[in-house]
Amino acid sequence: MDEFLQRESIVLAPFEAHHLDGAVALSRAAGWAHRREDWEMIWSLSEGRVALAGDRVVGTAFMTPFGDTCAAINMIIVDESQRGQGLGRKLTTAVLELAGDRECRLRATSDGLPLYEKLGFVTTHKITRHQGVTGRVDAPANVEWIGSAALPAIKALDSAAFGADRDALHDVLANEGTFAAIRDGDGIVAFAATRLFGKGEVVGPVVAANAGQARDLLAFILSGKEGRVVRVDIPEDSGLSSPLEEWGLRNEGGVVAMVRRAGARPHTPAVQTFSLASQAVG
């Protein structure tokens, strides 16, 4: 154990089930909306590290693998009493080691940006969070709810847009939420997922060929959520901010998408991600 951890009596350990309540308390103190169920979902897909001061959780970081080529680095949080002492760097470095040679993606706040740049991450684009009480939205006729039989098509579309295998994520989303889709003949050409999250519900991922399809998917799902708190995280340049604000989901700022060891994309995908499943997993 290095000198820093010995001096501060802080140890890093694998994240386990008995750390969940401490992690929830930590995130609530930081103003995060995550419920215990939201932590459990990410943990079920990830390997994590926890910083402990005695039995108290004072920091966390997770690595969510997407096959052998890509990973999301997420849930990096440090107790206010421990900030400014290098603990965030140690937690992030620990989960980067878990990622190995994978391309690593994360969403950074302005506070975390300098650290991630020092660790080799570069900015790719901005993500905007829209959240609020949903107003009246008219449902388009070209979208329908779909069941788990459509999962292979959903996984293929998501893999094309994201650039990596997120099959395990979609298995979890199928258990915890519902999917809507646009068909062209018998085939699914665009989809969106929705589930409970934080203060209400979240819509994402939304994968489509263009902003028009993405808007229709969002409108269809939001049409059934009038009066409910809904969150949607979108790339800043998606063209969806205006309709989301019209539907009651105000712009609440955002984060910066970053990547480390970016892998080459062989071609421009026919579909893209217009809304994230969450800031944690993209």
Side-chain angles (χ1 to χ4, degrees):
M1 186 182 302
D2 65 57
E3 180 182 352
F4 171 86
L5 297 180
Q6 289 179 333
R7 184 173 66 249
E8 298 297 326
S9 300
I10 295 173
V11 297
L12 300 190
F15 192 100
E16 298 178 354
H18 62 274
H19 298 130
L20 281 166
D21 288 339
V24 173
L26 190 64
S27 61
R28 285 178 178 167
W32 290 20
H34 293 65
R35 308 165 301 153
R36 193 180 198 275
E37 293 88 345
D38 301 321
W39 276 94
E40 286 177 327
M41 174 183 160
I42 300 300
W43 177 53
S44 73
L45 296 166
S46 310
E47 291 186 69
R49 291 293 179 265
V50 60
L52 299 169
D55 293 330
R56 186 166 67 96
V57 174
V58 296
T60 62
F62 285 178
M63 184 280 297
T64 309
F66 303 125
D68 296 327
T69 61
C70 183
I73 304 300
N74 52 58
M75 309 306 278
I76 300 170
I77 184 169
V78 173
D79 185 87
E80 186 174 7
S81 67
Q82 302 295 329
R83 293 174 191 167
Q85 302 179 56
L87 183 55
R89 184 186 185 103
K90 290 181 178 296
L91 282 162
T92 307
T93 299
V95 291
L96 285 174
E97 290 175 355
L98 295 175
D101 294 330
R102 292 178 176 90
E103 172 186 308
C104 291
R105 306 181 193 181
L106 60 74
R107 266 56 60 183
T109 63
S110 57
D111 290 341
L113 196 60
L115 167 62
Y116 303 134
E117 289 176 338
K118 290 176 183 176
L119 291 174
F121 285 89
V122 296
T123 296
T124 56
H125 58 283
K126 294 183 179 179
I127 301 293
T128 302
R129 180 179 71 250
H130 282 265
Q131 184 167 266
V133 177
T134 308
R136 179 179 173 81
V137 183
D138 293 327
N142 62 326
V143 185
E144 62 186 82
W145 294 112
I146 55 174
S148 58
L151 267 177
I154 287 170
K155 291 175 178 178
L157 284 171
D158 184 77
S159 179
F162 190 81
D165 173 1
R166 297 201 297 178
D167 287 5
L169 170 63
H170 285 284
D171 289 336
V172 170
L173 294 178
N175 287 330
E176 297 196 359
T178 53
F179 291 100
I182 297 173
R183 294 183 185 273
D184 182 4
D186 293 331
I188 292 172
V189 296
F191 78 90
T194 183
R195 60 186 170 87
L196 295 176
F197 174 83
K199 299 176 181 178
E201 301 172 56
V202 65
V203 182
V206 174
V207 173
N210 53 63
Q213 288 181 344
R215 185 186 186 282
D216 286 347
L217 287 161
L218 287 165
F220 178 82
I221 290 177
L222 293 176
S223 68
K225 300 187 184 298
E226 185 174 356
R228 302 182 194 175
V229 174
V230 177
R231 172 173 172 166
V232 181
D233 293 277
I234 60 171
E236 187 179 57
D237 62 355
S238 66
L240 296 172
S241 281
S242 292
L244 287 169
E245 290 185 355
E246 291 173 6
W247 297 331
L249 278 60
R250 63 189 178 275
N251 184 331
E252 294 190 338
V255 294
V256 175
M258 307 187 79
V259 65
R260 180 177 184 262
R261 292 181 174 167
R265 298 295 294 271
H267 58 81
T268 302
V271 290
Q272 59 184 300
T273 303
F274 283 89
S275 174
L276 279 60
S278 71
Q279 288 189 5
V281 296

